[in-house]
Amino acid sequence: MAFFGQKNPRRYRASRVSEIGASHGTLPRIVAALKDRSVLARLSLTLLAVLVLTVIVEGWRNPFRFRIGDRPAHGVLATVDFQRVDRRETGRRRDQAEAQVPLYFRYQHLQRDTITASLRSDFQTVSEVMSATALSTNIRRSFGLDLSRSEEEDEKQRAASEARFQQVRNLVLAADDSQSRDSEQSRLERIEGLLAEFQRLLATVDEYGLIDEDDVGTLKIQPGKRLVLLSESTADHEKFVSLSDVELKSQLEPGGSIARLWPQLPLLNQVRPQMEAWLRRNLPETLRHDRSKTQEARRLARERIEEVYDDWFEDQVLVGPGELIDDELFELLHDEHNAAEAKVPGYWRALRVFTCIVMIGLLFAINGYYLVANEPKVVRSFGRLTKVLVSVVIAIAVGRWLSGFSLRAELIPVTVAAMIFAVSYNQVMAALTAITISLILTLSTVGELSQFVILLTVSVTAVIPLKQVSSRLTLIKIGFVTGLAYVLVYCGMAVLAGGSWNVLTSEYALLIDALKGAGWCLVAGYIVAGSLPLIESAFGVVTDISLLELSDISHPLLQELVRRAPGTYNHSIAVATIAETAAEAIDANGLLVRVGAYYHDIGKMLKPEYFVENMTEGMKSRHANLAPAMSTLIIIGHVKDGVDLALQHHIPQSLIDFIEQHHGTTLVRYFFVEATKLAEEDPDYSGEVQESAFRYPGPKPQSREAGVLMLADAVESASRTLSDPTPKRIETLVHKITMDRLLDGQFEESSLTLSEIRVIEESLSKSLIAIYHGRIKYPEQQRSA
């Protein structure tokens, strides 16, 4: 019967073996992963970052490896024959051509009638008074008879001014003709004769116009400078003149156009000094500088001058051994580099691009392998991976841009990126990222080993102390430390290159560059310190600074928790105390665990009366009238309520994780047992109670800190049920709860090891024993007992 009642044991064992199956190799697993769309999306994002970096580092070109301030030890020779523009000679010739371009002026004719009428009025006024003191100040100044400071003049000077006035008056009144001196008609005819000569003088002045003396000084017009006059009415009409032709001062000087005209004006020539003064004061400037026309003419003149080229030949010395590369030599080297690149064939450029993609891809693969093995959260989250890649790309782009200047500030983005990754993730990831950025920057710029050593040393020095950021001053101190490291490494590399310590005393520029680099390190520290809130928000991390702010009891959520659920608040404080100690015992972030414990049960404040720690003696349980399933929903609901409250108050995600994960997917055992009993006692109940309906939704603890909080929360609550909390009972309780959580698989995703769980268990036991330690009864207590 047994034979027919059982299956073939051999076939049964074979089927069980076949269920296990053979282990898959690496290639099949890679093929299977490539079929996953999420994996393909992440690979595509990484490939895009590689391509962008290839463009940023100009992978198709050979890097230009010289910077202003370098001193090539062996000099630099030309690698190809090339021509380059002699910028100095070309500029000199163009400046010379520009200087020969005349200045353009627009001119308008004089208002002769208006000017003549003004002189007629002045002559009439002079003829009507007997002394210069009777004239108005304006007329006196017009004829050079200004007596405004007469009290300071001696009698001789006053007499000279009065004599000049009488000369003008006698000329107007025709004093030489005694018969017509008192005749009004004769006086008017005399004035008209003077004005007729004046019209000839105005015609001479108006031929070319008058230039403003201020323009002469502003435009720095030299006496021999050519000027071009453009009529306001006729745009095409041009006159070429010199400064003396349009400057009133030059025309009045001997040899000038007006000075040559005086002998032909017998009447006005008698009062020549007075008329010259009148002309200086009353003739307006009629020339206006045409700036746009002048600039256009200068531009055309410069463009007509062809560039002057210098010929350079292969193996010709461009920079001598130890010679300082200044701006001029830098341009020469850059031109030689461009000429050499222009002769590179297309297929070599394609090969260079391919090589660049492979090298950057290899570096990214190394980083990716580390992330998959040690930081899977970064790889699994598309957003986090994007932030990491974007940060690396930006650091390299900014570093490459800064490396082109003589400031040598490319270490700023390298150090800043390393410090950001150390703050946001861990020191190993930050160091690996710093190596990647430093290597790509070095190979795409100067290509020197010393540069790579300096960048790597500085960035790693900044990463080592950044396990925790207790204050912004910590980041500033790290800036000083990295600056000191820069000075030491920079000087050390210089000594190794020079082969002697004398290089430190003979090359003052080297010490200046070292101090400059130290300053950039300090700048990097200040940048990270100032942007710390942005870093926390962008990367979803919380530093010790923010944690200390959130641990303040005055926070609105904690204040509300105290008011609504004081029992839960006291429970949270107790959990925070023992959890922080346990976290520090395994070298986890104790401060993070403590602050997470403060907020882990804030969801209970919405229904505090349903939780036992908030019930007072004699209070009836709210769950007595509820079905176990409904009570379970209320108990489990405090997790979701807590998350909602945290989001409303902008609590960081790292603390929200504690709220979500501190129960993991554990079973609400009390109500599950109650539901099972009711199902067994109820004959009408069909089926069995589903355990999954009585479990928390999770997720399970995703970090060591969350795992510590789970155990601390559970043992603190359970310890309150002990009637006689002796050390032995506490240890037994803690061990039982720890084993229950371990066997339930709650620590599978937390990266906690068995040895760490054991250390946590011991720390929690010691903390609870210390809390519940026995006390000596004083005599009064013994008598009352």
Side-chain angles (χ1 to χ4, degrees), residues 173-216:
L173 295 176
D176 293 336
D177 188 355
S178 59
Q179 296 180 353
S180 59
R181 177 175 299 179
D182 297 330
S183 173
E184 179 67 21
Q185 181 65 29
S186 176
R187 180 172 66 87
L188 295 177
E189 291 178 354
R190 184 72 167 185
I191 291 175
E192 292 302 324
L194 293 171
L195 294 178
E197 291 185 359
F198 183 69
Q199 285 288 345
R200 292 183 59 188
L201 189 149
L202 287 182
T204 300
V205 174
D206 198 27
E207 180 179 4
Y208 300 124
L210 295 177
I211 192 172
D212 191 345
E213 293 294 335
D214 292 338
D215 286 343
V216 175

Side-chain angles (χ1 to χ4, degrees), residues 474-492:
T474 302
L475 298 171
I476 307 302
K477 291 179 179 178
I478 291 175
F480 277 104
V481 173
T482 54
L484 178 60
Y486 182 92
V487 172
L488 294 176
V489 176
Y490 189 87
C491 294

Side-chain angles (χ1 to χ4, degrees), residues 305-424:
I305 302 300
E306 296 182 354
E307 293 181 330
V308 180
Y309 287 90
D310 287 340
D311 293 324
W312 295 81
F313 304 98
E314 186 177 357
D315 294 332
Q316 186 174 350
V317 176
L318 302 179
V319 180
E323 185 178 0
L324 177 68
I325 297 179
D326 55 12
D327 293 338
E328 185 176 352
L329 288 177
F330 181 80
E331 291 181 0
L332 173 62
L333 293 171
H334 204 277
D335 290 340
E336 188 272 342
H337 176 73
N338 291 335
E341 283 297 310
K343 297 182 179 181
V344 175
Y347 67 90
W348 272 110
R349 293 186 184 276
L351 181 60
R352 188 177 292 168
V353 170
F354 175 76
T355 304
C356 184
I357 292 175
V358 171
M359 293 181 65
I360 297 177
L362 180 61
L363 289 174
F364 274 40
I366 296 173
N367 284 265
Y369 180 81
Y370 168 80
L371 293 178
V372 171
N374 300 278
E375 296 290 336
K377 294 179 183 179
V378 177
V379 180
R380 292 171 188 168
S381 173
F382 191 83
R384 292 183 180 180
L385 182 61
T386 301
K387 292 173 185 177
V388 170
L389 293 175
V390 169
S391 301
V392 172
V393 170
I394 291 177
I396 294 175
V398 175
R400 181 170 167 79
W401 176 67
L402 292 176
S403 69
F405 299 96
S406 59
L407 298 176
R408 304 294 182 85
E410 61 268 20
L411 64 88
I412 293 180
V414 180
T415 308
V416 168
M419 295 174 70
I420 289 176
F421 279 95
V423 171
S424 304

Side-chain angles (χ1 to χ4, degrees), residues 133-200:
T133 57
L135 295 174
S136 65
T137 302
N138 186 42
I139 296 178
R140 289 202 308 268
R141 291 178 177 175
S142 294
F143 287 106
L145 308 173
D146 189 4
L147 303 177
S148 58
R149 296 182 297 173
S150 59
E151 68 277 8
E152 299 178 3
E153 297 176 351
D154 54 21
E155 292 297 329
K156 183 177 181 180
Q157 291 175 331
R158 297 183 61 179
S161 298
E162 185 66 27
R164 290 196 298 272
F165 164 75
Q166 293 299 333
Q167 287 179 351
V168 178
R169 185 172 182 275
N170 292 336
L171 178 64
V172 175
L173 295 176
D176 293 336
D177 188 355
S178 59
Q179 296 180 353
S180 59
R181 177 175 299 179
D182 297 330
S183 173
E184 179 67 21
Q185 181 65 29
S186 176
R187 180 172 66 87
L188 295 177
E189 291 178 354
R190 184 72 167 185
I191 291 175
E192 292 302 324
L194 293 171
L195 294 178
E197 291 185 359
F198 183 69
Q199 285 288 345
R200 292 183 59 188

